[in-house]
């Protein structure tokens, strides 16, 4: 009975209300400190260039997926070969879409970073400059293209110019943060949420305000086995409570170590009792069992991690949405736990 209760401990309506509050808070709080800005720009650069690379490989017809002989022997009817190719008009449209979305996201990050420095319109001005620059750059690139014959040299040069732009805007991490509240939000990463102020724990704690041995508790090393047991056994179907960062970090790490060692031992065992073919099939079956277990544990732990940062579980869906997933990944992997929620006594 208890196990069945764990399977359905997810309140869809409450999560929906929390999601609406989260979206409202994104517009209410428009300041970004150095670390989240750094992570945001790096993740954005990675996504934009992966998208551009896949797009470019399609136009030059160079992405080939061919299984090896061992795989083909056992799964000969499964076709994994691919003549990946996109035509010139699709390449043209995808290049514009990917880089316009990237430019808007980059401009928004830069605006929020400068909002953390000044309460003036400096951030908004930077956003306009970034958007205008990218629109002109894309316009120049598009004007010199032929929909029947894409100029790959100019396209590569275009990607290089974009890379320089990201590097230049990355320098905003050196802009100091303002320690007072302004029209864009509160200092030190604090968040306004309706009538409340949410304060988060620091990314790391210095040795001045905590005992040195507490460092191991902070990163979770002293609780690595507990994190594994919590993530993969005790809370496998828990979608209502919270999880700290170390549960996710060490849970995944310990799972990889334990399952890799176990799979190797089982393969050796099957190989000596049966034959190589049987051992391979058995290892594949065990792999898929572990994979399903791993996936279920990651979903529930990610939901709890989102709760720990004040977000709705529905943000999990955003992991599969380009550019928006940067926010979800940051909040899941890097954002510290909520430290306190206090009534907002600041006069607006």
């Amino acid at each position: 009975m208890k196990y069945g209760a764990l399977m359905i401990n997810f309140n869809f309506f409450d999560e929906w209300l929390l999601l609406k509050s989260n979206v409202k808070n994104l517009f209410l709080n428009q300041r970004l400190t150095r670390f989240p800005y750094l992570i945001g720009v790096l993740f954005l650069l990675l996504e934009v260039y992966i998208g551009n690379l896949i797009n470019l490989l399609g136009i030059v017809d160079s992405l080939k997926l061919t299984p090896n002989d061992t795989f083909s022997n056992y799964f000969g009817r499964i076709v994994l070969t691919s003549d990946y190719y996109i035509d010139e008009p699709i390449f043209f449209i995808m290049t514009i879409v990917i880089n316009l979305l990237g430019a808007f996201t980059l401009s928004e990050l830069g605006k929020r970073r400068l909002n953390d420095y000044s309460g003036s319109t400096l951030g908004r001005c930077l956003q306009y400059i970034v958007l205008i620059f990218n629109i002109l750059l894309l316009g120049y690139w598009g004007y010199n293209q032929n929909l029947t014959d894409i100029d790959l040299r100019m396209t590569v040069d275009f990607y290089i110019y974009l890379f320089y732009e990201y590097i230049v805007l990355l320098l905003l991490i050196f802009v100091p943060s303002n320690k007072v509240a302004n029209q864009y939000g509160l200092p030190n990463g604090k968040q306004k949420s309706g009538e409340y102020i949410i304060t988060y724990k620091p990314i790391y704690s210095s040795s001045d305000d905590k005992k040195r041995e507490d460092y191991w508790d902070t990163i979770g090393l002293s609780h690595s086995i507990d994190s594994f047991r919590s993530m993969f056994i005790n809370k496998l179907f828990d979608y209502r409570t919270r999880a700290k960062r170390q549960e996710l970090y060490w849970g995944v790490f310990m799972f990889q170590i334990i399952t890799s060692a176990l799979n190797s031992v089982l393969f050796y065992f099957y190989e000596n009792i049966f034959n190589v073919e049987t051992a391979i099939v058995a290892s594949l079956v065990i792999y898929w069992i572990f994979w399903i277990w791993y996936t279920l544990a990651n979903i529930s732990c990610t939901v709890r991690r989102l709760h720990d940062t004040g977000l709705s579980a529905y943000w999990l869906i955003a992991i599969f949405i380009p550019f928006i997933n940067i926010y979800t990944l940051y909040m899941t992997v890097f954002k510290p736990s909520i430290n306190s929620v206090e009534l907002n006594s600041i006069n607006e």
Side-chain angles (χ1 to χ4, degrees):
M1 188 68 180
K2 182 179 179 181
Y3 181 80
L6 288 175
M7 291 290 290
I8 57 174
N9 64 350
F10 184 86
N11 193 311
F12 293 91
F13 183 70
D14 287 350
E15 296 290 347
W16 172 250
L17 294 178
L18 182 57
L19 176 64
K20 293 198 295 185
S21 176
N22 294 154
V23 174
K24 182 179 178 181
N25 291 342
L26 284 175
F27 292 96
L28 184 63
N29 303 279
Q30 298 198 29
R31 295 176 62 164
L32 205 58
T33 54
R34 295 174 177 178
F35 183 70
Y37 177 77
L38 172 65
I39 298 299
V41 173
L42 291 178
F43 275 31
L44 178 61
L45 177 64
L46 182 63
E47 285 203 6
V48 168
Y49 271 83
I50 288 177
N52 283 328
L53 178 60
I54 294 174
N55 207 26
L56 186 64
L57 290 173
I59 202 67
V60 299
D61 191 21
S62 64
L63 183 60
K64 307 292 184 183
L65 300 175
T66 306
N68 57 38
D69 294 336
T70 303
F71 189 94
S72 298
N73 290 335
Y74 288 97
F75 304 97
R77 295 184 179 181
I78 299 180
V79 179
L80 288 181
T81 57
S82 173
D83 293 327
Y84 172 65
Y85 179 78
I86 57 177
D87 55 22
E88 284 79 1
I90 297 298
F91 174 83
F92 185 85
I93 294 173
M94 289 301 298
T95 298
I96 292 177
V97 170
I98 291 172
N99 292 286
L100 272 183
L101 289 175
F104 175 78
T105 307
L106 182 63
S107 69
E108 184 68 21
L109 290 172
K111 181 193 75 174
R112 290 173 180 254
R113 178 78 272 271
L114 288 184
N115 287 346
D116 192 49
Y117 166 73
S118 170
S120 65
T121 59
L122 186 62
R124 179 68 67 180
C125 292
L126 175 66
Q127 184 173 42
Y128 290 150
I129 292 172
V130 171
L131 287 175
I132 292 172
F133 172 78
N134 282 270
I135 290 173
L136 291 176
L137 192 60
L138 269 170
Y140 177 77
W141 172 85
Y143 179 77
N144 289 277
Q145 297 302 316
N146 188 329
L147 291 182
T148 60
D149 185 21
I150 296 295
D151 187 340
L152 294 180
R153 178 60 187 174
M154 177 174 285
T155 301
V156 173
D157 289 340
F158 169 68
Y159 294 159
I160 293 173
Y161 291 140
L162 288 180
F163 178 78
Y164 290 151
E165 178 190 17
Y166 279 82
I167 297 302
V168 170
L169 288 177
L170 195 60
L171 297 177
L172 290 180
I173 61 173
F174 297 107
V175 174
S177 297
N178 199 320
K179 300 301 182 182
V180 297
N182 60 31
Q183 60 178 318
Y184 301 112
L186 302 175
N188 302 320
K190 295 180 180 179
Q191 301 285 302
K192 291 186 289 185
S193 180
E195 299 179 349
Y196 298 93
I197 296 177
I198 301 175
T199 303
Y200 294 89
K201 295 180 179 179
I203 297 293
Y204 62 92
S205 300
S206 64
S207 58
D208 295 335
D209 49 26
K210 281 194 173 185
K211 294 181 179 179
R212 187 174 182 83
E213 57 267 20
D214 286 349
Y215 171 76
W216 301 107
D217 290 334
T218 301
I219 65 173
L221 181 60
S222 58
H223 304 291
S224 55
I225 299 298
D226 292 338
S227 296
F228 169 79
R229 185 168 59 246
S230 175
M231 179 176 177
F232 289 92
I233 300 175
N234 296 343
K235 296 184 178 182
L236 182 60
F237 298 104
D238 182 0
Y239 302 98
R240 292 297 298 272
T241 59
R242 297 164 57 177
K244 296 181 179 180
R245 288 175 295 172
Q246 56 261 36
E247 181 177 331
L248 180 63
Y249 298 162
W250 289 106
V252 171
F253 180 74
M254 293 301 296
F255 181 86
Q256 297 296 335
I257 293 178
I258 293 173
T259 54
S260 296
L262 184 60
N263 203 18
S264 299
V265 171
L266 289 175
F267 181 83
Y268 178 79
F269 174 76
Y270 289 131
E271 186 180 20
N272 283 271
I273 293 182
F274 305 105
N275 50 43
V276 177
E277 289 76 11
T278 304
I280 291 176
V281 173
S283 294
L284 287 173
V285 171
I286 294 172
Y287 169 81
W288 281 107
I289 292 174
F290 284 159
W291 184 85
I292 294 172
W293 185 20
Y294 179 80
T295 302
L296 292 174
N298 267 274
I299 291 174
S300 61
C301 188
T302 300
V303 168
R304 297 196 305 276
R305 189 80 266 282
L306 290 169
H307 289 164
D308 194 49
T309 59
L311 295 187
S312 165
Y314 288 128
W315 283 102
L316 178 65
I317 302 173
I319 289 181
F320 305 100
I321 304 176
F323 302 109
I324 299 178
N325 58 8
I326 296 173
Y327 176 70
T328 302
L329 288 171
Y330 170 75
M331 297 297 288
T332 303
V333 178
F334 298 101
K335 189 70 173 179
S337 305
I338 292 177
N339 187 44
S340 64
V341 179
E342 300 174 351
L343 190 64
N344 187 359
S345 59
I346 299 178
N347 295 323
E348 299 290 344

